Amino acid sequence: DAKTTQPTSMDCAEGRAANLPCNHSTISGNEYVYWYRQIHSQGPQYIIHGLKNNETNEMASLIITEDRKSSTLILPHATLRDTAVYYCIVRVAGSNTGKLIFGQGTTLQVKP
Amino acid sequence: GAVVSQHPSWVICKSGTSVKIECRSLDFQATTMFWYRQFPKQSLMLMATSNEGSKATYEQGVEKDKFLINHASLTLSTLTVTSAHPEDSSFYICSARAGPNEKLFFGSGTQLSVL
């Protein structure tokens, strides 16, 4: 699975949009981009995933560049409860293992 | 989303004893479960992949005789930390998926403290 690069930490004002970037320049054609987050002392929570089209759900939007070498997770109206570590992961969907390998992630601090 | 239940949430044990952690998929059948461990301020590290009815596949550097994994049914996998020592103190997290194209769902984790 391709490796991802994320900033170590980011701050965001409450109520504003949080834009979390992820670089995956070695991604291959059959690899999806997944985003999970982990709130302190809890298990990771699935947010969203996509292949090449932009995706939106009730939690967030995922913008993938045309060359698929990077993506951005957007939390449209960040709240204090969105403070967490956000992980961007690429993996091949449908693979027999399907395991997720976590990088260091981005610690997002939402401030009042 | 699907629910993965992990038990216990925390456990304290004496050095040399064994501890069993359970991971259950409550509303789906999990053909594959994964076990991770996480040290403070670090990311999750995959320990092993557990497939129902077969032996677990361990990641490099993980001792299979120390971390026993059993996946006897489609809804239950267990991780047993045998002869636990203080360096085994960590946050252990399981995850499960219904099939190869399905998302992974995670348990709430187990904090193990070995005295």
Side-chain angles (χ1 to χ4, degrees), chain B residues 56-89:
Chain B
T57 302
Y58 290 81
E59 296 296 306
Q60 190 174 9
V62 178
E63 299 176 59
K64 63 179 182 180
D65 294 330
K66 180 165 187 62
F67 299 100
L68 301 180
I69 292 172
N70 184 283
H71 193 158
S73 78
L74 286 171
T75 59
L76 174 64
S77 176
T78 61
L79 167 68
T80 301
V81 183
T82 62
S83 186
H85 290 283
E87 58 265 31
D88 298 323
S89 297

Side-chain angles (χ1 to χ4, degrees), chain A residues 34 36 38 41-46 49 87 91-105, chain B residues 32 34 36 38 41-44 46 49 51 59 91 93 97 99-109:
Chain A
Y34 284 78
Y36 282 78
Q38 186 181 26
S41 297
Q42 297 182 24
Q45 175 190 25
Y46 167 82
H49 76 285
Y87 296 99
R91 79 169 180 100
V92 179
S95 66
N96 289 332
T97 61
K99 58 186 178 183
L100 291 181
I101 304 299
F102 286 77
Q104 293 307 306
Chain B
T32 306
F34 302 88
Y36 294 81
Q38 185 176 31
K41 299 189 183 301
Q42 294 187 23
S43 186
L44 286 79
L46 180 65
T49 302
N51 292 299
E59 296 296 306
F91 191 54
I93 310 167
R97 60 173 186 161
N101 291 318
E102 299 298 319
K103 301 184 286 288
L104 283 185
F105 295 96
F106 287 81
S108 55

Side-chain angles (χ1 to χ4, degrees), chain A residues 19-34:
Chain A
N19 298 283
L20 292 89
C22 179
N23 182 288
H24 31 78
S25 58
T26 61
I27 193 171
S28 58
N30 61 347
E31 287 185 310
Y32 284 70
V33 180
Y34 284 78

